[in-house]
Amino acid sequence: MWWDKENMPPCHLREDCVAIKGKHCQYTCRHYHTSKETYKISNLPPKAISELILVPENCDLSIYEACDGYKKNIHEHIAKGDGLYLHSNTKGNGKTSWAFKIMKHYLNWCSQNYGIDYKVRGYYVNVSELFDLLRNSFGEKAGTIKEIEKGIYEADLVIFDDIGFEKSTDWVKNKLYNYINYRYQNNKSMLFTSNLSLKELSTQLDDRISDRISEICRPLHFKGQSRRQQDRWWEE
Ligand SMILES: Nc1ncnc2c1ncn2[C@@H]1O[C@H](COP(=O)(O)OP(=O)(O)OP(=O)(O)O)[C@@H](O)[C@H]1O
Ligand SMILES: [Mg+2]
């Protein structure tokens, strides 16, 4: 079965594809099937998978350049365990979208270079969902937590989305500390997004966590306005 441009499957690779080069896509394409598996393991939500064109406001030009620079040199950063801390007290100005963009770039490269080996290349965690799960992590939820922990411990790159938002018990915070500390000690890269600066994170969450993040993650402060209102499907 052949696909043409009008009849394409929702392939994750799209513009990053090395195989397409003007030819038709094919159902038997190994890159298509590998990327499907790599994305499935990554726990990225469907919103991450649709195409993300991000246009910066002037005040965020240098931040976007820094994110793009990190993305382009992703292998170097992953080899060293470097990460980013994307933060802003304004909501909706592209922090999570940038984390998705960087992760997808890495997953696309892995899909095309490693084949299907079922290794966790990248993993996405929403911190408040994780806290919820941890609070109820007994009985049938135990399996889900084990799966998430596998992702957090094994992946080359992990996104911790929306860190600092949640209030929780010391036990749950300590679990998060253990995850982050494990990655920190093993030089494994992390991308964080937050509505708090690192200083605020240290008082609101745990200074052991913010201290480690500040050593290995470059803080990038997004200053633009929220774009969520522009994304409404209805007109007013
Ligand atoms: N620079 C941009 N250009 C175009 N669309 C954008 C841009 N930044 C954000 N958006 C869109 O705005 C919406 C919100 O973006 P995103 O989730 O990345 O924000 P966020 O900074 O993570 O917000 P929050 O602080 O609430 O978590 C998304 O639909 C995204 O595609
Ligand atoms: Mg976000």
Side-chain angles (χ1 to χ4, degrees), residues 124-163:
Y124 170 85
V125 193
N126 177 287
V127 178
S128 92
E129 276 173 27
L130 174 67
F131 273 30
D132 254 2
L133 274 168
L134 285 171
R135 275 190 288 263
N136 306 299
S137 62
F138 305 102
E140 69 202 48
K141 297 271 172 64
T144 317
I145 284 291
K146 281 227 149 41
E147 213 172 284
I148 295 173
E149 287 181 341
K150 179 177 155 65
I152 293 175
Y153 289 136
E154 290 183 10
D156 303 337
L157 180 65
V158 170
I159 298 176
F160 287 97
D161 195 19
D162 253 337
I163 190 171

Side-chain angles (χ1 to χ4, degrees), residues 47 55 64 91-97 195 227-228 231:
K47 191 160 171 64
V55 185
Y64 276 50
K91 300 195 189 316
N93 55 8
K95 300 176 289 297
T96 301
S97 302
N195 290 124
R227 301 294 184 95
R228 287 214 169 87
D231 272 3

Side-chain angles (χ1 to χ4, degrees), residues 55 57 59-60 64 88 90-95 222-230:
V55 185
E57 284 186 47
C59 57
D60 277 341
Y64 276 50
S88 165
T90 308
K91 300 195 189 316
N93 55 8
K95 300 176 289 297
F222 283 61
K223 301 188 181 78
Q225 298 300 305
S226 173
R227 301 294 184 95
R228 287 214 169 87
Q229 296 186 359
Q230 287 174 13

Side-chain angles (χ1 to χ4, degrees), residues 9-15 35-36 38-53 96-97 100-101 103-104 107-108:
C11 181
H12 300 307
L13 298 172
R14 292 194 192 92
E15 69 266 37
S35 70
K36 248 174 103 171
T38 313
Y39 272 76
K40 201 163 99 190
I41 298 171
S42 76
N43 194 36
L44 275 176
K47 191 160 171 64
I49 290 161
S50 50
E51 206 165 341
L52 301 165
I53 298 167
T96 301
S97 302
F100 286 161
K101 231 177 167 30
M103 176 67 87
K104 284 166 61 180
L107 294 185
N108 290 352

